[in-house]
Amino acid sequence: MGRIAVLDYDSGNLHSVSRAIAKVGGDVDVTSDPARVSTADALVIPGVGHFGQCVRALGERGLDRAAAAFAATGRPVLGVCVGLQVLFDASEEDAAAGMGVLGGTVRRLPDGLKVPHMGWNTVRWIRDHPFTSGIDDGSYFYFVHSFAPDVDDETTVGVTEYGRPFASVIARDNVFATQFHPEKSGEAGLQLYENVVKVVASR
């Protein structure tokens, strides 16, 4: 079974993500050590709260460089919530630079809406991915966020509507990320994590 490193940089959803992955049979290694990250079979970047704070916390521990280097190896990378956002070049939330693993800027949800977008919403699949196998189109997932990436034909896997369509699931090559919290999303979320564990174990 492949070892899945979960980055420990004091993110609020660290332990709930780790417990969910372990619940579906994953071999979880919660770590803040870049050397341990480099030898894992897959990497999870959790994240809640403020983009700039998360980016700076990752940088202080050298985990931003470790994650970017890991992504370049072709091994699976999963970003969750702000862990998705930090993969981008930038966010309108803060002037801090993201990791740049994915190009573009994460944008604020439209004015006039209640933000953060908090609660259950649907995801419409626009292309297949092994990590979403067996999850019905239109399934509900749990969101807590005020910023989100735009829909992009090349990277968007799932789309959600809240004031505007946004990419709630993205993938490029070995990098996959969700704007929602799978660990708070019931059976559909656990199915996604189980799919990740199965893919990692089969490599």
Side-chain angles (χ1 to χ4, degrees):
M1 179 183 295
R3 179 169 59 90
I4 302 174
V6 180
L7 293 189
D8 180 1
Y9 64 105
D10 297 328
S11 174
N13 61 337
L14 165 69
H15 296 296
S16 57
V17 168
S18 302
R19 285 194 298 269
I21 296 172
K23 183 175 181 178
V24 295
D27 178 12
V28 178
D29 179 17
V30 177
T31 182
S32 59
D33 182 355
R36 276 167 57 186
V37 169
S38 69
T39 60
D41 297 291
L43 174 64
V44 178
I45 307 171
V48 293
H50 189 273
F51 175 90
Q53 291 176 345
C54 287
V55 167
R56 286 184 281 272
L58 287 164
E60 288 166 1
R61 295 160 175 81
L63 294 174
D64 55 345
R65 295 186 299 277
F70 189 97
T73 69
R75 286 170 287 175
V77 175
L78 170 63
V80 176
C81 196
V82 181
L84 170 150
Q85 297 176 14
V86 299
L87 291 166
F88 282 79
D89 290 328
S91 170
E92 292 181 346
E93 187 173 20
D94 193 279
M99 292 184 192
V101 174
L102 299 168
T105 299
V106 178
R107 297 195 301 119
R108 182 174 175 82
L109 294 171
D111 292 338
L113 296 171
K114 182 179 180 180
V115 292
H117 169 215
M118 182 181 295
W120 296 87
N121 204 340
T122 57
V123 175
R124 173 172 55 88
W125 304 127
I126 62 171
R127 62 187 175 104
D128 294 332
H129 191 281
F131 290 174
T132 63
S133 177
I135 303 174
D136 290 339
D137 188 40
S139 290
Y140 280 84
F141 293 89
Y142 191 82
F143 292 82
V144 184
H145 66 115
S146 302
F147 297 79
D150 291 330
V151 175
D152 175 83
D153 290 341
E154 294 186 1
T155 61
T156 302
V157 172
V159 175
T160 296
E161 297 269 351
Y162 190 70
R164 63 172 170 90
F166 65 88
S168 50
V169 185
I170 59 171
R172 192 184 70 188
D173 300 327
N174 57 307
V175 177
F176 179 94
T178 68
Q179 184 57 72
F180 54 77
H181 287 273
E183 68 281 0
K184 296 182 179 180
S185 298
E187 291 302 315
L190 286 177
Q191 180 66 60
L192 190 150
Y193 280 137
E194 184 175 347
N195 290 341
V196 172
V197 169
K198 287 179 178 177
V199 169
V200 173
S202 68
R203 288 172 60 85

